[in-house]
Amino acid sequence: MAALLMPRRNKGMRTRLGCLSHKSDSCSDFTAILPDKPNRALKRLSTEEATRWADSFDVLLSHKYGVAAFRAFLKTEFSEENLEFWLACEEFKKTRSTAKLVSKAHRIFEEFVDVQAPREVNIDFQTREATRKNMQEPSLTCFDQAQGKVHSLMEKDSYPRFLRSKMYSDLLSQSQRRLS
């Protein structure tokens, strides 16, 4: 009922947010998941590119629109912290300043790895403790074990569900319709 009372200009926002709702597996307006200038981005996303995401998980992760679509899917499953952690680790590995390296490492650990972290990733006790020990002297490789576990978890669990999802099939259909 409240949706009927919302002004007409919010219809697009409701559509975009609808694809992120609880356990939603469909998204008819992909502008919500695509980064920067979504209308142009969707037009540039070819069916071939979107189809290649099914080749391997690493192919998906190497494509910015693939990451955006996968992130939107993970949000529907309430598990986007896994991808966010993986991306934070990738960005962390680019750190060149020792001072920044230490502060970034602690921020990532506190956000994703520590017990009861706000966006705690699902890793085993041994991996968590090994990463905790790595925090004593942070290096560019201090998250490698935890990042590997999270990557494996997403690859074996979330990624196959993403490929079977209505969200992914709708994205493929939309890209194919643009060619027609």
Side-chain angles (χ1 to χ4, degrees), residues 61 67 71 80-96 100-101 103-114 119-123 127 131-132 134-135 138-152 154:
L61 292 176
V67 169
R71 177 184 284 132
E80 71 270 17
E81 70 280 351
N82 294 321
L83 179 62
E84 297 302 333
F85 171 70
W86 188 88
L87 292 170
C89 291
E90 288 299 294
E91 193 61 35
F92 174 75
K93 291 175 187 177
K94 298 174 188 173
T95 306
R96 297 294 161 234
K100 286 183 180 178
L101 183 114
S103 67
K104 283 182 178 182
H106 285 288
R107 198 169 336 135
I108 291 170
F109 184 84
E110 291 168 4
E111 179 78 16
F112 297 103
V113 181
D114 207 2
R119 300 193 305 171
E120 184 179 358
V121 292
N122 185 11
I123 53 176
T127 303
T131 307
R132 184 183 311 283
N134 291 342
M135 290 294 97
S139 69
L140 292 175
T141 60
C142 65
F143 294 108
D144 283 0
Q145 185 180 2
Q147 185 185 21
K149 297 275 184 171
V150 168
H151 180 280
S152 180
M154 290 189 298

Side-chain angles (χ1 to χ4, degrees), residues 14-170:
R14 284 194 314 270
T15 302
R16 286 192 296 275
L17 293 176
C19 74
L20 301 178
S21 65
H22 180 63
K23 291 290 183 189
S24 171
D25 193 29
S26 178
C27 186
S28 60
D29 182 357
F30 289 97
T31 59
I33 64 172
L34 296 172
D36 62 342
K37 305 212 177 34
N39 290 331
R40 271 192 273 163
L42 188 56
K43 288 177 185 169
R44 285 192 304 244
L45 178 62
S46 71
T47 303
E48 181 184 337
E49 286 173 317
T51 303
R52 272 190 304 203
W53 300 346
D55 290 348
S56 77
F57 186 49
D58 290 325
V59 169
L60 174 85
L61 292 176
S62 70
H63 196 277
K64 70 179 179 178
Y65 301 138
V67 169
F70 189 57
R71 177 184 284 132
F73 172 75
L74 291 176
K75 283 183 179 184
T76 68
E77 299 201 328
F78 303 100
S79 63
E80 71 270 17
E81 70 280 351
N82 294 321
L83 179 62
E84 297 302 333
F85 171 70
W86 188 88
L87 292 170
C89 291
E90 288 299 294
E91 193 61 35
F92 174 75
K93 291 175 187 177
K94 298 174 188 173
T95 306
R96 297 294 161 234
S97 162
T98 306
K100 286 183 180 178
L101 183 114
V102 171
S103 67
K104 283 182 178 182
H106 285 288
R107 198 169 336 135
I108 291 170
F109 184 84
E110 291 168 4
E111 179 78 16
F112 297 103
V113 181
D114 207 2
V115 176
Q116 300 297 313
R119 300 193 305 171
E120 184 179 358
V121 292
N122 185 11
I123 53 176
D124 59 87
F125 175 79
Q126 291 82 9
T127 303
R128 191 176 314 280
E129 287 308 303
T131 307
R132 184 183 311 283
K133 287 178 185 165
N134 291 342
M135 290 294 97
Q136 294 170 0
E137 291 183 44
S139 69
L140 292 175
T141 60
C142 65
F143 294 108
D144 283 0
Q145 185 180 2
Q147 185 185 21
K149 297 275 184 171
V150 168
H151 180 280
S152 180
L153 176 70
M154 290 189 298
E155 185 174 36
K156 292 176 183 168
D157 187 41
S158 304
Y159 173 64
R161 282 197 314 275
F162 169 72
L163 294 177
R164 292 188 305 266
S165 72
K166 184 162 176 16
M167 181 183 285
Y168 181 60
S169 65
D170 286 353

